[in-house]
Amino acid sequence: LVWESWVPLVRLAVQRWHSRDPQPLVAFLELWRPLVPPWIMQHVLEQLVLARLQAEVEVWDPLTDTTPIHTWLHPWLPPLGDRLDCVFPTIRNKLSSALSSWHPTDRSAKLILLPWQEVFSRGSMCAFLTKNIVPKLEQALATLPITPHNQDLTLWRAVMDWSDLLPPPQLAQMLSQSFFPRWLQVLAGWLNSTPNYEEVVGWYSGWKSSLPASALPLPGVADQLSQALHMMNRSVSGGGPLAGQPGALENVRYMTSREFQAGGVGAQAGQDTGNKNKFATVSEAVKTAAQIPQGFKDLIGRRCEERGIVFRPLPGRWREGKQLYLCGSRQVYLDRNVIFVMEGGSGVWVPTSLNSLLDRDA
């Protein structure tokens, strides 16, 4: 009786239903759920509702549709559950195309993606951000003007606004590669021009306070801040360019001690830091900062060499047109500045951070 009399009426209602207004149909089906056999409700949800939603997603255009897609899809998450996953790849593909000309100063991209943070799987969201957002953020950081005076932070704030969506290790790696080398170079050049040490301390503190707290203790950030502190200490010590300024040595040393006691930076000034952060003079710091590898492949090779890990191309081996490399015992390939590694023998390639890759093969 239900199949012959109720289902046809529901089918007609679904066909006439305005998909951008999900609540009436969601409430109707929830009301009837205890009264109809489970297999009939499953048929309605999968063959009628889900099919209609799939058709609506196919014609959805993120550039012209004024109704955010999450407002009419997310109400179906409780009744449909994992069955709604079938439309997610289409949504990501359409968003990816819409982001082709996006610039980080446009906040609309984050407003669209934020509601999907807990809906897309962690791996899917990470891969999407890595492909569509991170390269634009890296480019913004690479072109960000860095100056000791009258710093414009508009672009910086636009990039840091993504810190709650990006995994902290990925954010730290992005900063380490695209921001800190130039930042340290500017600091080194400024120290060589004999500035007021108070201005230098304020500049360092201001930049550190603008970094997300979640990224501060990570190596890609903590090591760079430690390097800056070492440079500042050497500039006020011995024959350094700021050594003659009254109170410079005491105040910089005090700030450095306070920084290391608070945590979030690398080895304390005066301690052995191995092959990192050891500059005899400020001019040596400028030279070293300029020699930090800019190519991502060169960076991986340098880090592998430091850890004694083999990193070499696999002759004649390609993945999606990209050269395959052997990194330790694992096969990887690079897509722009993203490392993809094969998970065991599954044949599945997943994005990973440089630190995670190196830690696995250490």
Side-chain angles (χ1 to χ4, degrees):
L1 179 64
V2 172
W3 177 259
E4 294 177 354
S5 59
W6 185 77
V7 171
L9 295 176
V10 173
R11 180 180 293 109
L12 182 62
V14 171
Q15 292 172 352
R16 296 176 176 176
W17 159 59
H18 182 54
S19 62
R20 300 307 195 265
D21 184 18
Q23 292 301 338
L25 185 56
V26 171
F28 170 79
L29 294 178
E30 191 61 29
L31 179 67
W32 277 88
R33 181 182 293 275
L35 305 176
V36 300
W39 67 271
I40 290 184
M41 183 59 68
Q42 181 178 349
H43 170 83
V44 170
L45 288 172
E46 294 181 357
Q47 303 301 318
L48 304 182
V49 175
L50 185 57
R52 179 68 190 281
L53 292 176
Q54 286 177 298
E56 292 293 330
V57 170
E58 287 294 335
V59 299
W60 168 69
D61 186 344
L63 295 177
T64 59
D65 200 315
T66 57
T67 304
I69 190 170
H70 72 274
T71 61
W72 52 273
L73 272 186
H74 286 191
W76 289 106
L77 286 169
L80 285 172
D82 294 343
R83 289 170 288 193
L84 198 59
D85 290 2
C86 64
V87 303
F88 294 167
T90 303
I91 294 172
R92 289 192 291 267
N93 288 337
K94 287 176 176 281
L95 289 175
S96 180
S97 298
L99 289 168
S100 59
S101 58
W102 170 76
H103 189 270
T105 53
D106 179 4
R107 293 197 74 249
S108 63
K110 185 184 178 185
L111 295 177
I112 292 173
L113 290 174
L114 199 57
W116 296 94
Q117 184 177 17
E118 302 299 329
V119 177
F120 291 158
S121 69
R122 182 177 299 180
S124 296
M125 178 60 88
C126 181
F128 181 89
L129 295 173
T130 298
K131 178 182 177 182
N132 299 285
I133 300 299
V134 171
K136 301 290 184 72
L137 300 183
E138 289 177 334
Q139 184 180 11
L141 288 176
T143 59
L144 173 71
I146 303 174
T147 174
H149 305 290
N150 301 319
Q151 177 71 53
D152 183 359
L153 293 173
T154 302
L155 194 54
W156 171 262
R157 293 191 181 107
V159 174
M160 291 302 104
D161 190 41
W162 287 88
S163 61
D164 55 342
L165 271 176
L166 294 176
Q170 189 172 33
L171 177 62
Q173 179 179 330
M174 183 175 67
L175 290 168
S176 177
Q177 179 182 339
S178 302
F179 171 72
F180 276 116
R182 291 192 307 118
W183 183 76
L184 290 171
Q185 197 168 358
V186 169
L187 174 61
W190 190 26
L191 291 173
N192 236 6
S193 65
T194 320
N196 184 296
Y197 80 90
E198 292 180 342
E199 294 180 0
V200 177
V201 169
W203 189 77
Y204 167 89
S205 300
W207 276 110
K208 184 189 175 188
S209 66
S210 70
L211 291 165
S214 60
L216 286 176
L218 299 178
V221 173
D223 291 348
Q224 308 289 344
L225 294 175
S226 173
Q227 185 168 322
L229 290 172
H230 279 273
M231 292 163 61
M232 293 161 61
N233 271 274
R234 288 189 171 91
S235 72
V236 298
S237 305
L242 308 186
Q245 294 186 19
L249 177 62
E250 294 80 5
N251 281 282
V252 171
R253 286 282 174 85
Y254 172 74
M255 182 200 71
T256 302
S257 175
R258 187 182 58 194
E259 288 284 287
F260 286 111
Q261 288 175 1
V265 293
Q268 187 165 347
Q271 291 181 350
D272 186 9
T273 57
N275 294 323
K276 298 182 292 183
N277 307 334
K278 297 186 80 172
F279 300 111
T281 64
V282 173
S283 60
E284 182 185 348
V286 175
K287 179 181 177 183
T288 303
Q291 291 175 345
I292 294 176
Q294 298 302 306
F296 193 40
K297 180 171 71 68
D298 295 336
L299 174 63
I300 297 173
R302 180 75 61 85
R303 294 285 296 276
C304 286
E305 183 180 353
E306 291 173 354
R307 297 197 181 197
I309 298 173
V310 173
F311 179 70
R312 62 176 177 82
L314 294 171
R317 300 288 300 280
W318 304 86
R319 168 73 180 176
E320 296 183 354
K322 308 294 191 303
Q323 172 70 57
L324 283 182
Y325 296 87
L326 184 66
C327 183
S329 60
R330 307 172 71 82
Q331 294 184 27
V332 303
Y333 73 91
L334 310 179
D335 187 353
R336 286 182 281 191
N337 287 336
V338 183
I339 304 173
F340 285 84
V341 60
M342 181 185 288
E343 282 292 339
S346 63
V348 177
W349 295 84
V350 296
T352 187
S353 69
L354 177 55
N355 288 335
S356 296
L357 177 67
L358 297 177
D359 289 342
R360 290 179 180 182
D361 282 292

